[in-house]
Amino acid sequence: MVDKAKKEKPSAADFLPEDRSLESLRSAASACQGCELYKDATQTVFGEGSVRPHILFVGEQPGDIEDKQGRPFVGPAGKLLDRALEEAGIERSACYFTNTVKHFKFEWRGKRRLHKTPRQIEINACLPWLKAEIGEVKPALIVLLGATAAQAIFGKAFKITHERGKLLESYLAPRVMATVHPSSILRAIDDDAREQEMALFVSDLKHAASFIQM
Ligand code: URA
Ligand code: SF4
């Protein structure tokens, strides 16, 4: 009976520890079986960074490299994010980095593991971790990177193209901003488009920094 209920509505909630320190959360998340995604991934990729961040960045889910290393934003999208932060004059050490979903979802293509977009049910299941992280580190500003993160917080109707760069309010933090995901810049059709999108991304990040005192 209990198992059936779990299947119908997967959630990380049962795995959350009473002690909400980051270390305790990280340790509990490493054993999370709140949805099916833990089964094929290497490990939980929990957030990391400043414990009192100016900005908390939320991506979608770990990629192939993050899954292997157990750390968020250490692959190609993370490298691009690093470059954009530097161009925007934002110190990486003043930020916290995490994801909406903490396990890598993928499908095999030959010997490669290709990113697969998480389903709503998995996003919902994993949200307790993100909420607990935010509750613990209390960022001055949250920056949502891409549609998965933005829609997890603001609902499916939220459009990054309409709302990017705007200062938004949310129950999660006094200030929230959404922008594109760095991997969308990597996927730009040519160098010119990539350069343009990078400039827009950096401009959003500068705007983000201007919302708070960094
Ligand atoms: N993309 C994400 O959304 N998160 C990561 O940690 C890496 C790539
Ligand atoms: Fe738990 Fe999230 Fe991993 Fe699902 S994706 S098993 S809810 S940590």
Side-chain angles (χ1 to χ4, degrees), residues 26 28 31 34 39 47 104 110 113 135 165 203 212 214:
R26 175 174 291 112
K39 288 183 180 166
F104 179 36
R113 302 190 301 173
S203 148
I212 49 175
M214 292 198 68

mmCIF file of all heavy atoms in Angstrom, residues 26 28 31 34 39 47 104 110 113 135 165 203 212 214:
data_model
loop_
_atom_site.group_PDB
_atom_site.id
_atom_site.type_symbol
_atom_site.label_atom_id
_atom_site.label_comp_id
_atom_site.label_asym_id
_atom_site.label_seq_id
_atom_site.Cartn_x
_atom_site.Cartn_y
_atom_site.Cartn_z
ATOM 1 N N ARG A 26 23.397 17.373 2.370
ATOM 2 C CA ARG A 26 24.194 16.737 1.318
ATOM 3 C C ARG A 26 24.313 15.239 1.569
ATOM 4 O O ARG A 26 24.159 14.419 0.661
ATOM 5 C CB ARG A 26 25.581 17.388 1.245
ATOM 6 C CG ARG A 26 26.506 16.685 0.253
ATOM 7 C CD ARG A 26 27.826 17.374 0.050
ATOM 8 N NE ARG A 26 27.661 18.625 -0.653
ATOM 9 C CZ ARG A 26 27.853 19.825 -0.127
ATOM 10 N NH1 ARG A 26 28.249 19.933 1.119
ATOM 11 N NH2 ARG A 26 27.684 20.908 -0.838
ATOM 12 N N ALA A 28 22.339 13.292 3.360
ATOM 13 C CA ALA A 28 21.056 12.597 3.180
ATOM 14 C C ALA A 28 20.700 12.474 1.696
ATOM 15 O O ALA A 28 20.194 11.440 1.252
ATOM 16 C CB ALA A 28 19.959 13.341 3.930
ATOM 17 N N ALA A 31 21.803 9.531 -0.425
ATOM 18 C CA ALA A 31 21.082 8.254 -0.322
ATOM 19 C C ALA A 31 19.641 8.369 -0.818
ATOM 20 O O ALA A 31 18.825 7.478 -0.587
ATOM 21 C CB ALA A 31 21.090 7.782 1.122
ATOM 22 N N GLY A 34 14.110 9.096 -3.957
ATOM 23 C CA GLY A 34 12.791 9.723 -4.031
ATOM 24 C C GLY A 34 12.102 9.563 -5.374
ATOM 25 O O GLY A 34 10.879 9.710 -5.478
ATOM 26 N N LYS A 39 18.593 5.354 -9.956
ATOM 27 C CA LYS A 39 18.942 3.981 -10.345
ATOM 28 C C LYS A 39 20.047 3.907 -11.392
ATOM 29 O O LYS A 39 20.919 3.052 -11.322
ATOM 30 C CB LYS A 39 17.702 3.250 -10.869
ATOM 31 C CG LYS A 39 16.725 2.915 -9.766
ATOM 32 C CD LYS A 39 15.540 2.141 -10.297
ATOM 33 C CE LYS A 39 14.577 1.807 -9.167
ATOM 34 N NZ LYS A 39 13.269 1.365 -9.688
ATOM 35 N N GLY A 47 24.210 20.618 -4.439
ATOM 36 C CA GLY A 47 24.759 21.949 -4.677
ATOM 37 C C GLY A 47 26.027 22.187 -3.894
ATOM 38 O O GLY A 47 26.338 21.457 -2.952
ATOM 39 N N PHE A 104 21.528 12.722 -12.750
ATOM 40 C CA PHE A 104 21.660 12.828 -14.210
ATOM 41 C C PHE A 104 20.669 11.882 -14.880
ATOM 42 O O PHE A 104 20.677 10.680 -14.630
ATOM 43 C CB PHE A 104 23.098 12.444 -14.582
ATOM 44 C CG PHE A 104 23.421 12.463 -16.052
ATOM 45 C CD1 PHE A 104 22.883 13.411 -16.919
ATOM 46 C CD2 PHE A 104 24.326 11.531 -16.570
ATOM 47 C CE1 PHE A 104 23.226 13.419 -18.272
ATOM 48 C CE2 PHE A 104 24.674 11.536 -17.915
ATOM 49 C CZ PHE A 104 24.125 12.477 -18.770
ATOM 50 N N GLY A 110 24.921 4.497 -28.333
ATOM 51 C CA GLY A 110 26.203 3.826 -28.469
ATOM 52 C C GLY A 110 26.878 3.847 -27.115
ATOM 53 O O GLY A 110 26.308 3.388 -26.124
ATOM 54 N N ARG A 113 26.387 8.845 -23.214
ATOM 55 C CA ARG A 113 25.167 9.078 -22.438
ATOM 56 C C ARG A 113 24.629 10.456 -22.806
ATOM 57 O O ARG A 113 25.249 11.467 -22.536
ATOM 58 C CB ARG A 113 25.478 9.027 -20.945
ATOM 59 C CG ARG A 113 26.096 7.692 -20.512
ATOM 60 C CD ARG A 113 26.180 7.567 -19.008
ATOM 61 N NE ARG A 113 26.970 8.623 -18.398
ATOM 62 C CZ ARG A 113 27.079 8.814 -17.088
ATOM 63 N NH1 ARG A 113 26.434 8.031 -16.250
ATOM 64 N NH2 ARG A 113 27.828 9.779 -16.616
ATOM 65 N N GLY A 135 16.527 27.399 1.723
ATOM 66 C CA GLY A 135 16.177 27.738 3.105
ATOM 67 C C GLY A 135 17.403 27.828 3.993
ATOM 68 O O GLY A 135 17.450 28.629 4.923
ATOM 69 N N GLY A 165 15.909 38.326 -17.384
ATOM 70 C CA GLY A 165 16.540 39.551 -16.910
ATOM 71 C C GLY A 165 15.685 40.410 -16.002
ATOM 72 O O GLY A 165 16.159 41.411 -15.474
ATOM 73 N N SER A 203 25.021 40.218 -20.039
ATOM 74 C CA SER A 203 24.249 41.406 -19.675
ATOM 75 C C SER A 203 23.187 41.069 -18.614
ATOM 76 O O SER A 203 22.975 41.834 -17.668
ATOM 77 C CB SER A 203 23.663 42.001 -20.964
ATOM 78 O OG SER A 203 22.448 42.602 -20.720
ATOM 79 N N ILE A 212 21.645 43.443 -6.285
ATOM 80 C CA ILE A 212 22.120 43.199 -4.918
ATOM 81 C C ILE A 212 23.455 43.889 -4.746
ATOM 82 O O ILE A 212 24.088 44.283 -5.718
ATOM 83 C CB ILE A 212 22.298 41.681 -4.665
ATOM 84 C CG1 ILE A 212 23.101 41.058 -5.802
ATOM 85 C CG2 ILE A 212 20.955 40.989 -4.513
ATOM 86 C CD1 ILE A 212 23.422 39.630 -5.588
ATOM 87 N N MET A 214 27.059 43.494 -4.247
ATOM 88 C CA MET A 214 28.079 42.430 -4.283
ATOM 89 C C MET A 214 29.439 42.993 -3.932
ATOM 90 O O MET A 214 29.720 44.122 -4.110
ATOM 91 C CB MET A 214 28.110 41.783 -5.638
ATOM 92 C CG MET A 214 26.857 41.006 -5.929
ATOM 93 S SD MET A 214 27.041 39.821 -7.257
ATOM 94 C CE MET A 214 28.153 38.614 -6.589
#
